[in-house]
Amino acid sequence: MLTDSFGRVHNNLRISVTDRCNLRCTYCMPAEGLDWLPHPEVLTDDEVGRLIEIGVRRLGIREVRFTGGEPLIRRGLVDIVRRTRALDDDLELSVTTNGLGLERMAGALVGAGLDRVNLSLDTLDPTRFRTITRRDRLDDVMRGAKAAHEAGLTPVKVNAVLLRGVNDDEACDLLEWAIAHEYELRFIEQMPLDAQHDWHRDQMVTAEEIFARLEREFTLTPVSEPRGSAPAELFLVDGGPATVGVIASVTRPFCGDCDRVRLTADGQVRNCLFARQESDLRGALRAGATDEELADRWIAAMATKLPGHGINDPSFLQPDRPMSAIGG
Ligand code: SF4
């Protein structure tokens, strides 16, 4: 098992299959994009498959989330999903995506064994979408969400970040829209993971503010089921059955219950989203390490995990890799 010195067990693997993205969200990266990983540094499909297999067969991984960058632009994604599903019917498999291309790929992903998608969408307004993402693609995202829902990749979870003065007046509209389409909406506090290092705490829209905005139009009641390791606090909307989630990563950290481990597109284990150190599996893998040796390296990487992200400590330092290169 992938345990750490605080007794946390990590059975939830988030694996980035590319650091590239086809949007340019202002809170994520500059307009010109980033220096992408050179192709030889990115794990091949076989290498990805092998590391997932080690995670599942030897280290107790029960949930695999494919992330990026934008994972749908990875050519081999459907095969990687298929290969992962073949390991175990009971694994929970999902993709975090911006939705572009989902309309085209939803059927193939279901056929390969994917269970569901998490879609990132911050606004329903085409002009705002263009401002936030620097691309005019809102219609594609909407069609992608619909296709995922129709293909059975449910519940379609929609993740929204509210940005002060940009879209923070849309909380209620987004929730109304999500309920009408049977999507599960979750608001996420913006975290300091942008490439430009422009995040400022006083600009962040807090969970408290999100609640205050939603409660102007909806009655929110905490769901009775325990939250476990889930990052979202869930609330019934107007008595249910619809729910809304709030992920208060900064103001109400949930690190004590963390079960997540990350693998970057270039084969580095990150034991925390905010880790400042990584453990190289790709180098060992390409040097001929056995599965057992790779598993041992992975176990050792988890043992040094810190208790939490430390954003609220004065000594906090943002990780060198931005979110798009870590995998969400
Ligand atoms: S910040 Fe790190 S420890 Fe906290 S929940 Fe995220 S990955 Fe887990």
Side-chain angles (χ1 to χ4, degrees):
M1 300 292 264
L2 292 170
T3 50
D4 65 16
S5 59
F6 302 93
R8 292 172 294 191
V9 176
H10 303 85
N11 57 14
N12 182 334
L13 172 61
R14 300 199 172 184
I15 181 163
S16 172
V17 290
T18 179
D19 62 327
R20 294 169 193 243
C21 191
N22 40 14
L23 295 180
R24 293 287 181 274
C25 297
T26 51
Y27 58 78
C28 191
M29 63 176 76
E32 65 275 17
L34 298 169
D35 290 331
W36 312 120
L37 289 169
H39 276 294
E41 291 186 15
V42 175
L43 296 177
T44 65
D45 292 357
D46 281 347
E47 289 170 338
V48 169
R50 181 168 169 209
L51 291 178
I52 294 175
E53 184 165 356
I54 291 170
V56 171
R57 295 227 194 276
R58 292 175 178 259
L59 300 171
I61 294 297
R62 300 308 307 153
E63 183 174 344
V64 181
R65 166 92 55 91
F66 300 95
T67 73
E70 171 46 50
L72 298 194
I73 61 180
R74 168 108 185 198
R75 209 168 287 161
L77 180 68
V78 171
D79 281 338
I80 292 171
V81 172
R82 185 175 295 114
R83 190 168 168 167
T84 307
R85 171 55 70 210
L87 295 173
D88 189 334
D89 274 348
D90 294 331
L91 284 177
E92 200 178 319
L93 303 186
S94 60
V95 165
T96 295
T97 172
N98 62 29
L100 301 186
L102 192 51
E103 182 183 27
R104 179 173 44 83
M105 289 181 66
L109 287 167
V110 170
L114 193 75
D115 293 313
R116 58 179 184 78
V117 292
N118 280 39
L119 193 124
S120 306
L121 177 66
D122 305 320
T123 179
L124 305 171
D125 177 86
T127 306
R128 285 184 178 180
F129 185 90
R130 202 165 50 234
T131 303
I132 295 171
T133 68
R134 302 187 178 106
R135 297 289 186 270
D136 194 7
R137 307 290 299 271
L138 180 60
D139 281 352
D140 298 271
V141 178
M142 294 294 188
R143 287 201 303 272
K146 185 165 180 276
H149 186 70
E150 288 173 357
L153 293 170
T154 53
V156 173
K157 294 187 180 177
V158 177
N159 297 338
V161 176
L162 294 183
L163 305 166
R164 196 171 299 290
V166 178
N167 65 339
D168 54 342
D169 57 348
E170 275 194 80
C172 291
D173 292 344
L174 279 162
L175 182 51
E176 226 166 75
W177 167 82
I179 291 171
H181 291 81
E182 299 178 17
Y183 306 150
E184 281 187 14
L185 180 66
R186 295 120 52 93
F187 292 99
I188 305 180
E189 284 182 343
Q190 192 191 0
M191 291 180 286
L193 287 169
D194 57 311
Q196 311 91 305
H197 290 219
D198 274 346
W199 182 89
H200 294 289
R201 172 176 290 274
D202 53 358
Q203 283 302 304
M204 182 188 76
V205 178
T206 64
E208 285 313 314
E209 290 177 76
I210 295 165
F211 289 128
R213 286 187 178 273
L214 292 176
E215 283 170 340
R216 286 182 201 160
E217 290 187 31
F218 302 97
T219 303
L220 305 183
T221 326
V223 299
S224 47
E225 291 91 46
R227 176 177 169 193
S229 58
E233 293 175 65
L234 278 187
F235 298 85
L236 294 174
V237 180
D238 293 337
T243 59
V244 64
V246 177
I247 302 182
S249 324
V250 177
T251 60
R252 301 187 201 177
F254 33 83
C255 301
D257 292 315
C258 182
D259 64 356
R260 286 172 283 289
V261 51
R262 290 179 164 81
L263 194 59
T264 64
D266 55 345
Q268 310 298 305
V269 175
R270 294 182 63 87
N271 60 24
C272 172
L273 195 48
F274 289 89
R276 295 192 52 79
Q277 286 182 334
E278 302 177 337
S279 298
D280 180 26
L281 291 190
R282 185 197 63 201
L285 185 152
R286 290 185 180 171
T290 64
D291 285 1
E292 191 177 353
E293 286 164 347
L294 290 168
D296 284 347
R297 269 180 177 254
W298 202 333
I299 289 167
M302 297 312 291
T304 58
K305 178 162 170 154
L306 296 175
H309 54 49
I311 299 174
N312 301 312
D313 298 342
S315 59
F316 173 74
L317 281 177
Q318 192 172 328
D320 296 331
R321 285 200 199 232
M323 185 69 154
S324 58
I326 294 173

